[in-house]
Amino acid sequence: MPALCATYLIHSGNLRACLRIVPLTKPSVVIAYRHLSKSSSKIAPAAALNTAPIEFTPNTSAASLHERSTVIKDAARSALRCNDTTPTPALPFDVKRVDKANRAAGRKLPAASGVLSAYALMGPYIQLAKPRLTVLVMLSAICSYALSPYPATVLELLSLTVGTTLCSAAANGINMGREPDFDRQMMRTQARPVVRGLVTPMQAYKFSAVSGVIGTAILYAGVNPTVALLGASNIVLYSWFYTSLKRKHIINTWFGAITGAIPPLMGWAAASPLTHPGCWCLAGLLYAWQFPHFNTLSHNIRNEYKNAGHVMTAWKNPKLNARVALRYSLLMFPLCFGLSYYGITDWTYQIDSALVNGWMSFWAFKFWWQQRYNYSKKVYNNKAEFNKGMVLANVYARKTFWVSVLHLPAVLILAIVHKKGRWDWLFSDEGKLVA
């Protein structure tokens, strides 16, 4: 241990002292102290503070330090080395040599595979588009296009499909780029590419800009300006208004439902005018469907939404959340009736659609009734009874959610099957076989 040599003067008021640390030949220290205080009746004048640097003199040379570090390195290297010359100790496991050629070949395999590298490059951007949601948006536009009473063309159908898909991908990419700090607080959104760092928010915005411009251009050139305007407006509604309102007010769910109702209008406007009341029945169908679907989804993860800072009806007003889900489930009946009334489907559609709508309304009613019971004064103040009721509400909400997943494609497919005039050829004279 090096000896120290230092002189330090302490002065405070009427007390002064001198500390001196003198070096010795052995690793020990002697501190000399000399009291310099004056009479307590006199106040000494303030002295300047000694700011001279303290000198430290080591008692070991640089050569000895280097020699000691070399010895430690050699000892560590010999202890960690494992090769043919190392003596084999009694180990409780088998030690196998690594084949350097095989290891190098294994490391070069991912880089040499073009398919793997292309997927690694494009995968995060595909996830930015929220492929499942984008497919649902695209299918709703295609179904509306198929239900329109005016003639359709293959070019319009392809342009509508590609353009709607790209516009939906653009809106979803901006949404993910704006919310990585909130998404990482929810189990449902922790695997998103921006949260995981696979792409940056700026890269998400660039992807959305390219997708939005190309998608809108395809809709404008391949379909018509009305559809292109609807596609561009939906990007703004979803990525700006809906995403911003999620942290401000529960009205965000109603704005989000509007963005879901626009794709059917896009599909209808591709071949038919928007003045036909049938298209608004289809748009209303998609608008109403989102409440039983999303309200029951958000119910089971309401605490995650709350912790992430999203203002959702599921935790702000649970009774309203269940009531809205039931209300819009029941609204499906008159909307499906409107499709037959305005000549989009035949009247047999009312029987098929009523069965599907009744299936979802039944579970939505169970969910609402249980929440109404849970938040009554008698049950809400009873902790044990309330917890039991919430378990049942969670089950009913989950069932309603999965029924809604099947409900929407069932209603739309049945509408296409029951499109007015589709089966007239079976009963017309022109369709009969002549012997």
Side-chain angles (χ1 to χ4, degrees):
M1 177 180 179
L4 303 176
C5 178
T7 302
Y8 187 75
L9 178 63
I10 301 174
H11 180 272
S12 176
N14 63 347
L15 175 64
R16 288 185 300 165
C18 179
L19 293 173
R20 182 172 181 79
I21 305 175
V22 293
L24 299 176
T25 56
K26 295 182 180 180
S28 60
V29 177
V30 175
I31 300 177
Y33 173 82
R34 186 157 53 94
H35 187 66
L36 301 176
S37 64
K38 293 183 179 181
S39 174
S40 60
S41 61
K42 297 181 181 180
I43 301 176
L49 180 65
N50 184 9
T51 59
I54 300 176
E55 181 182 358
F56 296 93
T57 305
N59 61 355
T60 56
S61 63
S64 63
L65 290 175
H66 178 71
E67 182 181 356
R68 184 179 302 175
S69 64
T70 304
V71 172
I72 294 174
K73 289 179 181 178
D74 293 339
R77 191 178 293 111
S78 62
L80 298 175
R81 185 171 58 230
C82 181
N83 51 35
D84 292 340
T85 62
T86 305
T88 306
L91 298 176
F93 51 86
D94 296 331
V95 178
K96 296 182 180 179
R97 295 186 61 189
V98 176
D99 191 342
K100 295 183 179 180
N102 291 339
R103 173 177 285 184
R107 288 176 176 173
K108 291 179 180 179
L109 182 60
S113 175
V115 177
L116 184 60
S117 60
Y119 176 78
L121 178 65
M122 297 301 298
Y125 291 97
I126 294 174
Q127 295 176 27
L128 274 178
K130 296 183 184 177
R132 287 182 293 183
L133 178 60
T134 296
V135 168
L136 181 64
V137 169
M138 179 260 294
L139 288 177
S140 65
I142 292 177
C143 289
S144 180
Y145 183 71
L147 286 170
S148 61
Y150 292 88
T153 64
V154 176
L155 179 61
E156 280 185 346
L157 178 62
L158 291 176
S159 300
L160 176 68
T161 302
V162 177
T164 303
T165 300
L166 290 176
C167 287
S168 177
N172 292 325
I174 298 174
N175 173 266
M176 287 194 190
R178 293 187 61 190
E179 295 187 327
D181 294 334
F182 302 96
D183 287 343
R184 66 170 48 95
Q185 301 180 52
M186 298 181 61
M187 291 293 296
R188 177 172 170 262
T189 54
Q190 281 180 352
R192 288 180 174 177
V194 182
V195 176
R196 293 164 58 194
L198 301 177
V199 295
T200 65
M202 183 55 65
Q203 289 173 330
Y205 296 148
K206 291 179 180 178
F207 165 79
S208 300
V210 173
S211 300
V213 170
I214 296 176
T216 305
I218 290 175
L219 292 175
Y220 183 87
V223 189
N224 57 56
T226 302
V227 179
L229 179 61
L230 289 172
S233 62
N234 215 22
I235 296 175
V236 176
L237 281 174
Y238 186 83
S239 62
W240 182 255
F241 287 97
Y242 168 68
T243 303
S244 301
L245 285 171
K246 283 168 68 176
R247 293 180 294 277
K248 297 181 182 299
H249 198 274
I250 62 173
I251 199 73
N252 68 80
T253 307
W254 280 262
F255 266 89
I258 294 174
T259 63
I262 288 180
L265 294 178
M266 295 170 62
W268 188 279
S272 307
L274 293 178
T275 54
H276 195 291
C279 70
W280 296 101
C281 290
L282 283 172
L285 195 69
L286 268 293
Y287 177 84
W289 173 84
Q290 293 179 75
F291 291 96
H293 177 76
F294 180 76
N295 286 23
T296 53
L297 167 68
S298 61
H299 169 81
N300 281 311
I301 54 174
R302 56 194 178 278
N303 290 328
E304 292 187 26
Y305 277 115
K306 184 177 181 180
N307 295 334
H310 296 309
V311 184
M312 296 296 173
T313 318
W315 66 268
K316 288 289 287 185
N317 193 336
K319 290 175 65 177
L320 176 64
N321 184 66
R323 188 165 63 248
V324 168
L326 174 62
R327 181 187 304 160
Y328 284 96
S329 296
L330 297 174
L331 187 60
M332 295 288 183
F333 290 96
L335 288 171
C336 289
F337 177 83
L339 293 178
S340 298
Y341 181 80
Y342 291 111
I344 305 301
T345 64
D346 56 35
W347 287 101
T348 314
Y349 177 67
Q350 296 307 305
I351 301 174
D352 298 343
S353 63
L355 295 175
V356 180
N357 293 333
W359 184 30
M360 185 171 70
S361 299
F362 169 76
W363 289 111
F365 175 80
K366 297 269 286 184
F367 173 53
W368 167 76
W369 186 267
Q370 187 62 47
Q371 284 291 78
R372 179 173 172 270
Y373 175 75
N374 292 340
Y375 286 92
S376 62
K377 291 183 179 180
K378 183 178 85 171
V379 177
Y380 187 71
N381 296 326
N382 188 338
K383 197 97 175 172
E385 193 67 23
F386 177 78
N387 291 336
K388 290 181 182 178
M390 287 305 298
V391 171
L392 284 175
N394 295 343
V395 172
Y396 296 149
R398 194 174 298 111
K399 285 185 177 292
T400 308
F401 169 76
W402 286 113
V403 169
S404 70
V405 172
L406 300 174
H407 171 274
L408 183 63
V411 167
L412 293 177
I413 292 173
L414 286 173
I416 293 175
V417 170
H418 288 283
K419 182 179 179 181
K420 193 166 186 179
R422 181 173 298 279
W423 308 107
D424 290 350
W425 61 274
L426 289 175
F427 307 101
S428 63
D429 294 335
E430 296 178 359
K432 293 180 180 180
L433 295 176
V434 180

